[in-house]
Amino acid sequence: MHSILLEMLECPVCHGALNWKIGERRGDRIEQAEVGCVACGARYSVREGIGLFLTPDLPRHDLWEQAEGQLARYLREHPEVEHQLMGAPLEALAPADQFFRALVLEERGEYAQARAAADLARPGLYTSEYLACYESQIDEVVERLGESDGPIVDLASGRGDLVEALARRLRQPIVMTDFSPRVLRRDRRWLEFLGLYDQISLLAFDARRTPFKDGAVKRLTTNLGLPNIEQPDRLLSELRRIVSGTFLAVSHFFPEDDEANAAAIRQAGLSTLLYRRSALAQFSAAGWQVEVANVCTGSARPTPAGVILEGAGIDALPVAEMVLEWCLLVAC
Ligand SMILES: C[S@@+](CC[C@H](N)C(=O)[O-])C[C@H]1O[C@@H](n2cnc3c(N)ncnc32)[C@H](O)[C@@H]1O
């Protein structure tokens, strides 16, 4: 993480000041540090350049830890499946298997091949309308951030599709964040391979309890991060506390009368932020003013399952074909 972040951070538990014992620096980056709250004594750290500000009290359902661990274990236990997945010509694989091959290649550090496999998989996994709406939202974020200066903080960054687009097209420093240290370690290696790491800091924290001081964030972004956050009751109030400028949230909404998907959404506990009306009500209740910008609609269908990795799925939603409404929520 870059040293410029020091003045923006505080204890995510009690909002006390932090005491930094920096063990290793590289240029303007902190690689290793022990961090303590002077008020409540909570301990945090920086490891491999990643600031770790997770608190022990919030439940963490880290899908990256589970999914990648499971895939590696399954392939170790079934070498014949691994042979088929990694040995068959890429073009001959089903789109989901192409995607899983990309994950394995990434784990092995074969990034160029991983990118080729993921790129080939995408049009087979998503409808062309889905991909066009998605690209349009990313372009909208880039355009709106073009004029700004100072760090951009991205929430629930995951594998970093938005962060990569921002880093390629803007010059501002970017803070990539997620509650999964595993995905952030993967992101670091990947960004180094792409030559984009110089501009980017990595921070692990839960979006519902962030380590930022009041109003410290001038530009907050997220690309489909909000609907992935379970039990988001206090999420939007916490984000209201830290943002003194604009929050740009790439979002998509399900139709309210679509029963087939509604049951799955309810079961996953994601109803609040996947429907336009309730999402906007939550924003207002937390003190935000929201504009719904760049609306576009496009059909979406369940991502097809693997064939070699028989039945293995990728996205949990939608479970039935439907029309998604995409937009950029511009909140301040
Ligand atoms: C699918 S990603 C969103 C796509 C990503 N923003 C991009 O541009 O590629 C959703 C991410 O949310 C993260 N996440 C889920 N709950 C979270 C929470 N409470 N705090 C922070 N991150 C969370 C997950 O680990 C996952 O990486």
Side-chain angles (χ1 to χ4, degrees), residues 201-240:
S201 290
L202 300 168
L203 286 186
F205 62 79
D206 193 306
R208 296 165 297 175
R209 188 169 292 160
T210 78
F212 288 105
K213 294 179 182 169
D214 291 6
V217 178
K218 297 218 167 50
R219 298 280 176 267
L220 183 69
T221 58
T222 190
N223 172 26
L224 300 179
L226 297 182
N228 279 287
I229 294 172
E230 293 173 359
Q231 300 170 359
D233 320 349
R234 59 180 158 199
L235 170 68
L236 291 172
S237 313
E238 170 64 356
L239 302 183
R240 181 64 290 188

Side-chain angles (χ1 to χ4, degrees), residues 126-131 133 297-301 318 321-326:
Y126 299 101
T127 66
S128 54
E129 290 179 10
Y130 184 105
L131 293 173
C133 288
T297 53
S299 77
R301 58 169 184 246
E321 187 156 356
M322 41 77 71
V323 175
L324 272 178
E325 180 189 54
W326 291 79

Side-chain angles (χ1 to χ4, degrees), residues 9 16 19 27 33 38 71 77 85 89 102 117 119 121 125 160 164 167 220 225 234 240 247 258 272 281 318:
L9 298 175
N19 179 31
V38 297
L71 179 60
E77 287 165 7
L85 184 71
D119 286 349
L125 295 174
E164 186 181 329
L220 183 69
R234 59 180 158 199
R240 181 64 290 188
F247 177 25
D258 171 3
T272 323

Side-chain angles (χ1 to χ4, degrees), residues 142-307:
V142 171
E143 196 169 308
R144 285 176 182 257
L145 289 173
E147 301 295 301
S148 68
D149 56 9
I152 298 165
V153 177
D154 185 62
L155 209 66
S157 303
R159 291 161 57 81
D161 287 353
L162 176 59
V163 167
E164 186 181 329
L166 296 179
R168 286 190 189 284
R169 289 150 75 181
L170 300 173
R171 300 165 71 110
Q172 295 93 317
I174 299 167
V175 187
M176 186 172 195
T177 78
D178 203 281
F179 75 172
S180 170
R182 181 176 186 124
V183 82
L184 293 175
R185 285 195 293 272
R186 172 265 176 210
D187 290 335
R188 174 176 174 163
R189 294 192 297 270
W190 186 248
L191 291 164
E192 283 173 337
F193 164 74
L194 295 174
L196 297 173
Y197 185 54
D198 278 357
Q199 200 179 340
I200 293 171
S201 290
L202 300 168
L203 286 186
F205 62 79
D206 193 306
R208 296 165 297 175
R209 188 169 292 160
T210 78
F212 288 105
K213 294 179 182 169
D214 291 6
V217 178
K218 297 218 167 50
R219 298 280 176 267
L220 183 69
T221 58
T222 190
N223 172 26
L224 300 179
L226 297 182
N228 279 287
I229 294 172
E230 293 173 359
Q231 300 170 359
D233 320 349
R234 59 180 158 199
L235 170 68
L236 291 172
S237 313
E238 170 64 356
L239 302 183
R240 181 64 290 188
R241 179 184 73 75
I242 63 170
V243 174
S244 56
T246 311
F247 177 25
L248 302 176
V250 173
S251 303
H252 59 203
F253 297 126
F254 283 69
E256 291 198 9
D257 58 1
D258 171 3
E259 258 315 302
N261 286 297
I265 291 171
R266 271 197 303 275
Q267 202 185 356
L270 299 174
S271 302
T272 323
L273 296 170
L274 275 178
Y275 292 100
R276 183 199 251 251
R277 257 195 315 175
S278 62
L280 294 182
Q282 288 283 322
F283 268 89
S284 302
W288 293 94
Q289 299 208 316
V290 195
E291 176 202 345
V292 181
N294 199 41
V295 175
C296 62
T297 53
S299 77
R301 58 169 184 246
T303 45
V307 174

